mmCIF file with all atom_site columns, all heavy atoms in Angstrom:
data_model
loop_
_atom_site.group_PDB
_atom_site.id
_atom_site.type_symbol
_atom_site.label_atom_id
_atom_site.label_alt_id
_atom_site.label_comp_id
_atom_site.label_asym_id
_atom_site.label_entity_id
_atom_site.label_seq_id
_atom_site.pdbx_PDB_ins_code
_atom_site.Cartn_x
_atom_site.Cartn_y
_atom_site.Cartn_z
_atom_site.occupancy
_atom_site.B_iso_or_equiv
_atom_site.pdbx_formal_charge
_atom_site.auth_seq_id
_atom_site.auth_comp_id
_atom_site.auth_asym_id
_atom_site.auth_atom_id
_atom_site.pdbx_PDB_model_num
ATOM 1   N N   . VAL L 1 25  ? -11.684 6.811   2.866   1.00 0.00 ? 1426 VAL L N   1
ATOM 2   C CA  . VAL L 1 25  ? -11.332 5.803   3.865   1.00 0.00 ? 1426 VAL L CA  1
ATOM 3   C C   . VAL L 1 25  ? -10.392 6.354   4.926   1.00 0.00 ? 1426 VAL L C   1
ATOM 4   O O   . VAL L 1 25  ? -10.536 6.075   6.110   1.00 0.00 ? 1426 VAL L O   1
ATOM 5   C CB  . VAL L 1 25  ? -10.708 4.557   3.174   1.00 0.00 ? 1426 VAL L CB  1
ATOM 6   C CG1 . VAL L 1 25  ? -10.163 3.577   4.202   1.00 0.00 ? 1426 VAL L CG1 1
ATOM 7   C CG2 . VAL L 1 25  ? -11.731 3.870   2.283   1.00 0.00 ? 1426 VAL L CG2 1
ATOM 8   N N   . GLY L 1 37  ? 2.679   5.395   -8.387  1.00 0.00 ? 1438 GLY L N   1
ATOM 9   C CA  . GLY L 1 37  ? 3.654   5.140   -9.443  1.00 0.00 ? 1438 GLY L CA  1
ATOM 10  C C   . GLY L 1 37  ? 5.052   5.634   -9.167  1.00 0.00 ? 1438 GLY L C   1
ATOM 11  O O   . GLY L 1 37  ? 5.785   5.925   -10.110 1.00 0.00 ? 1438 GLY L O   1
ATOM 12  N N   . ARG L 1 47  ? 17.359  -3.545  3.596   1.00 0.00 ? 1448 ARG L N   1
ATOM 13  C CA  . ARG L 1 47  ? 17.527  -3.746  5.035   1.00 0.00 ? 1448 ARG L CA  1
ATOM 14  C C   . ARG L 1 47  ? 16.668  -4.888  5.574   1.00 0.00 ? 1448 ARG L C   1
ATOM 15  O O   . ARG L 1 47  ? 16.847  -5.305  6.703   1.00 0.00 ? 1448 ARG L O   1
ATOM 16  C CB  . ARG L 1 47  ? 17.191  -2.460  5.780   1.00 0.00 ? 1448 ARG L CB  1
ATOM 17  C CG  . ARG L 1 47  ? 18.094  -1.304  5.406   1.00 0.00 ? 1448 ARG L CG  1
ATOM 18  C CD  . ARG L 1 47  ? 17.611  -0.025  6.015   1.00 0.00 ? 1448 ARG L CD  1
ATOM 19  N NE  . ARG L 1 47  ? 16.372  0.384   5.345   1.00 0.00 ? 1448 ARG L NE  1
ATOM 20  C CZ  . ARG L 1 47  ? 15.656  1.435   5.687   1.00 0.00 ? 1448 ARG L CZ  1
ATOM 21  N NH1 . ARG L 1 47  ? 16.024  2.185   6.696   1.00 0.00 ? 1448 ARG L NH1 1
ATOM 22  N NH2 . ARG L 1 47  ? 14.568  1.747   5.035   1.00 0.00 ? 1448 ARG L NH2 1
ATOM 23  N N   . SER L 1 49  ? 15.681  -8.459  6.341   1.00 0.00 ? 1450 SER L N   1
ATOM 24  C CA  . SER L 1 49  ? 16.425  -9.716  6.420   1.00 0.00 ? 1450 SER L CA  1
ATOM 25  C C   . SER L 1 49  ? 15.572  -10.915 6.015   1.00 0.00 ? 1450 SER L C   1
ATOM 26  O O   . SER L 1 49  ? 16.063  -11.844 5.388   1.00 0.00 ? 1450 SER L O   1
ATOM 27  C CB  . SER L 1 49  ? 16.985  -9.910  7.826   1.00 0.00 ? 1450 SER L CB  1
ATOM 28  O OG  . SER L 1 49  ? 15.923  -9.938  8.757   1.00 0.00 ? 1450 SER L OG  1
ATOM 29  N N   . GLY L 1 56  ? 2.808   -13.376 -6.987  1.00 0.00 ? 1457 GLY L N   1
ATOM 30  C CA  . GLY L 1 56  ? 1.882   -12.589 -7.786  1.00 0.00 ? 1457 GLY L CA  1
ATOM 31  C C   . GLY L 1 56  ? 2.410   -11.182 -8.005  1.00 0.00 ? 1457 GLY L C   1
ATOM 32  O O   . GLY L 1 56  ? 3.614   -10.930 -7.965  1.00 0.00 ? 1457 GLY L O   1
ATOM 33  N N   . VAL L 1 58  ? 2.503   -7.244  -6.798  1.00 0.00 ? 1459 VAL L N   1
ATOM 34  C CA  . VAL L 1 58  ? 2.299   -6.387  -5.627  1.00 0.00 ? 1459 VAL L CA  1
ATOM 35  C C   . VAL L 1 58  ? 1.454   -5.188  -6.046  1.00 0.00 ? 1459 VAL L C   1
ATOM 36  O O   . VAL L 1 58  ? 1.799   -4.462  -6.978  1.00 0.00 ? 1459 VAL L O   1
ATOM 37  C CB  . VAL L 1 58  ? 3.633   -5.933  -5.013  1.00 0.00 ? 1459 VAL L CB  1
ATOM 38  C CG1 . VAL L 1 58  ? 3.389   -4.944  -3.884  1.00 0.00 ? 1459 VAL L CG1 1
ATOM 39  C CG2 . VAL L 1 58  ? 4.406   -7.129  -4.498  1.00 0.00 ? 1459 VAL L CG2 1
ATOM 40  N N   . SER L 1 63  ? 4.274   1.565   4.362   1.00 0.00 ? 1464 SER L N   1
ATOM 41  C CA  . SER L 1 63  ? 5.401   1.575   5.299   1.00 0.00 ? 1464 SER L CA  1
ATOM 42  C C   . SER L 1 63  ? 5.128   2.568   6.417   1.00 0.00 ? 1464 SER L C   1
ATOM 43  O O   . SER L 1 63  ? 4.787   3.718   6.158   1.00 0.00 ? 1464 SER L O   1
ATOM 44  C CB  . SER L 1 63  ? 6.687   1.981   4.580   1.00 0.00 ? 1464 SER L CB  1
ATOM 45  O OG  . SER L 1 63  ? 6.962   1.086   3.536   1.00 0.00 ? 1464 SER L OG  1
ATOM 46  N N   . THR L 1 70  ? 3.752   7.740   7.351   1.00 0.00 ? 1471 THR L N   1
ATOM 47  C CA  . THR L 1 70  ? 3.294   6.568   6.607   1.00 0.00 ? 1471 THR L CA  1
ATOM 48  C C   . THR L 1 70  ? 3.391   6.852   5.122   1.00 0.00 ? 1471 THR L C   1
ATOM 49  O O   . THR L 1 70  ? 2.910   7.878   4.651   1.00 0.00 ? 1471 THR L O   1
ATOM 50  C CB  . THR L 1 70  ? 1.828   6.245   6.970   1.00 0.00 ? 1471 THR L CB  1
ATOM 51  O OG1 . THR L 1 70  ? 1.710   6.108   8.380   1.00 0.00 ? 1471 THR L OG1 1
ATOM 52  C CG2 . THR L 1 70  ? 1.375   4.965   6.307   1.00 0.00 ? 1471 THR L CG2 1
ATOM 53  N N   . PHE L 1 75  ? 1.175   0.755   -7.108  1.00 0.00 ? 1476 PHE L N   1
ATOM 54  C CA  . PHE L 1 75  ? 1.922   0.405   -8.295  1.00 0.00 ? 1476 PHE L CA  1
ATOM 55  C C   . PHE L 1 75  ? 0.975   0.248   -9.482  1.00 0.00 ? 1476 PHE L C   1
ATOM 56  O O   . PHE L 1 75  ? -0.150  -0.238  -9.317  1.00 0.00 ? 1476 PHE L O   1
ATOM 57  C CB  . PHE L 1 75  ? 2.697   -0.896  -8.060  1.00 0.00 ? 1476 PHE L CB  1
ATOM 58  C CG  . PHE L 1 75  ? 3.629   -0.800  -6.893  1.00 0.00 ? 1476 PHE L CG  1
ATOM 59  C CD1 . PHE L 1 75  ? 3.277   -1.316  -5.665  1.00 0.00 ? 1476 PHE L CD1 1
ATOM 60  C CD2 . PHE L 1 75  ? 4.848   -0.149  -7.015  1.00 0.00 ? 1476 PHE L CD2 1
ATOM 61  C CE1 . PHE L 1 75  ? 4.125   -1.214  -4.577  1.00 0.00 ? 1476 PHE L CE1 1
ATOM 62  C CE2 . PHE L 1 75  ? 5.696   -0.032  -5.932  1.00 0.00 ? 1476 PHE L CE2 1
ATOM 63  C CZ  . PHE L 1 75  ? 5.338   -0.565  -4.711  1.00 0.00 ? 1476 PHE L CZ  1
ATOM 64  N N   . GLN L 1 93  ? -12.525 -4.457  1.096   1.00 0.00 ? 1494 GLN L N   1
ATOM 65  C CA  . GLN L 1 93  ? -11.976 -5.243  2.192   1.00 0.00 ? 1494 GLN L CA  1
ATOM 66  C C   . GLN L 1 93  ? -10.553 -4.857  2.562   1.00 0.00 ? 1494 GLN L C   1
ATOM 67  O O   . GLN L 1 93  ? -10.266 -4.581  3.724   1.00 0.00 ? 1494 GLN L O   1
ATOM 68  C CB  . GLN L 1 93  ? -12.011 -6.731  1.843   1.00 0.00 ? 1494 GLN L CB  1
ATOM 69  C CG  . GLN L 1 93  ? -13.403 -7.272  1.705   1.00 0.00 ? 1494 GLN L CG  1
ATOM 70  C CD  . GLN L 1 93  ? -13.393 -8.745  1.340   1.00 0.00 ? 1494 GLN L CD  1
ATOM 71  O OE1 . GLN L 1 93  ? -12.362 -9.386  1.318   1.00 0.00 ? 1494 GLN L OE1 1
ATOM 72  N NE2 . GLN L 1 93  ? -14.556 -9.288  1.036   1.00 0.00 ? 1494 GLN L NE2 1
ATOM 73  N N   . ALA L 1 104 ? -3.326  0.545   14.346  1.00 0.00 ? 1505 ALA L N   1
ATOM 74  C CA  . ALA L 1 104 ? -2.600  -0.236  15.349  1.00 0.00 ? 1505 ALA L CA  1
ATOM 75  C C   . ALA L 1 104 ? -1.158  0.241   15.477  1.00 0.00 ? 1505 ALA L C   1
ATOM 76  O O   . ALA L 1 104 ? -0.611  0.302   16.586  1.00 0.00 ? 1505 ALA L O   1
ATOM 77  C CB  . ALA L 1 104 ? -2.636  -1.720  14.983  1.00 0.00 ? 1505 ALA L CB  1
ATOM 78  N N   . GLN L 1 105 ? -0.525  0.606   14.367  1.00 0.00 ? 1506 GLN L N   1
ATOM 79  C CA  . GLN L 1 105 ? 0.842   1.128   14.411  1.00 0.00 ? 1506 GLN L CA  1
ATOM 80  C C   . GLN L 1 105 ? 0.885   2.466   15.141  1.00 0.00 ? 1506 GLN L C   1
ATOM 81  O O   . GLN L 1 105 ? 1.795   2.731   15.925  1.00 0.00 ? 1506 GLN L O   1
ATOM 82  C CB  . GLN L 1 105 ? 1.408   1.296   12.993  1.00 0.00 ? 1506 GLN L CB  1
ATOM 83  C CG  . GLN L 1 105 ? 1.508   0.018   12.183  1.00 0.00 ? 1506 GLN L CG  1
ATOM 84  C CD  . GLN L 1 105 ? 2.341   -1.040  12.853  1.00 0.00 ? 1506 GLN L CD  1
ATOM 85  O OE1 . GLN L 1 105 ? 3.410   -0.770  13.369  1.00 0.00 ? 1506 GLN L OE1 1
ATOM 86  N NE2 . GLN L 1 105 ? 1.841   -2.254  12.866  1.00 0.00 ? 1506 GLN L NE2 1
ATOM 87  N N   . THR L 1 111 ? 8.462   3.453   22.330  1.00 0.00 ? 1512 THR L N   1
ATOM 88  C CA  . THR L 1 111 ? 9.499   2.466   22.624  1.00 0.00 ? 1512 THR L CA  1
ATOM 89  C C   . THR L 1 111 ? 9.329   1.160   21.866  1.00 0.00 ? 1512 THR L C   1
ATOM 90  O O   . THR L 1 111 ? 10.265  0.377   21.773  1.00 0.00 ? 1512 THR L O   1
ATOM 91  C CB  . THR L 1 111 ? 9.531   2.158   24.121  1.00 0.00 ? 1512 THR L CB  1
ATOM 92  O OG1 . THR L 1 111 ? 8.224   1.735   24.534  1.00 0.00 ? 1512 THR L OG1 1
ATOM 93  C CG2 . THR L 1 111 ? 9.961   3.385   24.910  1.00 0.00 ? 1512 THR L CG2 1
ATOM 94  N N   . TRP L 1 123 ? -1.554  -9.463  -5.321  1.00 0.00 ? 1524 TRP L N   1
ATOM 95  C CA  . TRP L 1 123 ? -2.673  -10.037 -6.058  1.00 0.00 ? 1524 TRP L CA  1
ATOM 96  C C   . TRP L 1 123 ? -2.135  -11.251 -6.807  1.00 0.00 ? 1524 TRP L C   1
ATOM 97  O O   . TRP L 1 123 ? -1.250  -11.138 -7.648  1.00 0.00 ? 1524 TRP L O   1
ATOM 98  C CB  . TRP L 1 123 ? -3.262  -9.022  -7.030  1.00 0.00 ? 1524 TRP L CB  1
ATOM 99  C CG  . TRP L 1 123 ? -4.300  -9.583  -7.946  1.00 0.00 ? 1524 TRP L CG  1
ATOM 100 C CD1 . TRP L 1 123 ? -4.191  -9.808  -9.279  1.00 0.00 ? 1524 TRP L CD1 1
ATOM 101 C CD2 . TRP L 1 123 ? -5.624  -9.993  -7.590  1.00 0.00 ? 1524 TRP L CD2 1
ATOM 102 N NE1 . TRP L 1 123 ? -5.350  -10.324 -9.776  1.00 0.00 ? 1524 TRP L NE1 1
ATOM 103 C CE2 . TRP L 1 123 ? -6.255  -10.452 -8.760  1.00 0.00 ? 1524 TRP L CE2 1
ATOM 104 C CE3 . TRP L 1 123 ? -6.340  -10.027 -6.388  1.00 0.00 ? 1524 TRP L CE3 1
ATOM 105 C CZ2 . TRP L 1 123 ? -7.557  -10.928 -8.767  1.00 0.00 ? 1524 TRP L CZ2 1
ATOM 106 C CZ3 . TRP L 1 123 ? -7.634  -10.501 -6.405  1.00 0.00 ? 1524 TRP L CZ3 1
ATOM 107 C CH2 . TRP L 1 123 ? -8.231  -10.941 -7.574  1.00 0.00 ? 1524 TRP L CH2 1
ATOM 108 N N   . HIS L 1 131 ? 1.120   -9.451  3.390   1.00 0.00 ? 1532 HIS L N   1
ATOM 109 C CA  . HIS L 1 131 ? 2.368   -9.860  4.035   1.00 0.00 ? 1532 HIS L CA  1
ATOM 110 C C   . HIS L 1 131 ? 2.852   -8.740  4.926   1.00 0.00 ? 1532 HIS L C   1
ATOM 111 O O   . HIS L 1 131 ? 2.729   -7.557  4.574   1.00 0.00 ? 1532 HIS L O   1
ATOM 112 C CB  . HIS L 1 131 ? 3.453   -10.157 2.984   1.00 0.00 ? 1532 HIS L CB  1
ATOM 113 C CG  . HIS L 1 131 ? 3.026   -11.115 1.927   1.00 0.00 ? 1532 HIS L CG  1
ATOM 114 N ND1 . HIS L 1 131 ? 3.021   -12.478 2.103   1.00 0.00 ? 1532 HIS L ND1 1
ATOM 115 C CD2 . HIS L 1 131 ? 2.593   -10.899 0.658   1.00 0.00 ? 1532 HIS L CD2 1
ATOM 116 C CE1 . HIS L 1 131 ? 2.605   -13.077 1.000   1.00 0.00 ? 1532 HIS L CE1 1
ATOM 117 N NE2 . HIS L 1 131 ? 2.327   -12.136 0.112   1.00 0.00 ? 1532 HIS L NE2 1
ATOM 118 N N   . VAL L 1 133 ? 6.240   -7.202  7.041   1.00 0.00 ? 1534 VAL L N   1
ATOM 119 C CA  . VAL L 1 133 ? 7.694   -7.229  7.091   1.00 0.00 ? 1534 VAL L CA  1
ATOM 120 C C   . VAL L 1 133 ? 8.149   -6.154  8.066   1.00 0.00 ? 1534 VAL L C   1
ATOM 121 O O   . VAL L 1 133 ? 7.539   -5.094  8.153   1.00 0.00 ? 1534 VAL L O   1
ATOM 122 C CB  . VAL L 1 133 ? 8.311   -6.962  5.688   1.00 0.00 ? 1534 VAL L CB  1
ATOM 123 C CG1 . VAL L 1 133 ? 9.821   -6.957  5.736   1.00 0.00 ? 1534 VAL L CG1 1
ATOM 124 C CG2 . VAL L 1 133 ? 7.809   -7.966  4.675   1.00 0.00 ? 1534 VAL L CG2 1
#
Side-chain angles (χ1 to χ4, degrees):
V1426 172
R1448 299 172 290 177
S1450 60
V1459 175
S1464 301
T1471 306
F1476 302 99
Q1494 295 179 7
Q1506 299 303 315
T1512 56
W1524 173 251
H1532 308 279
V1534 179

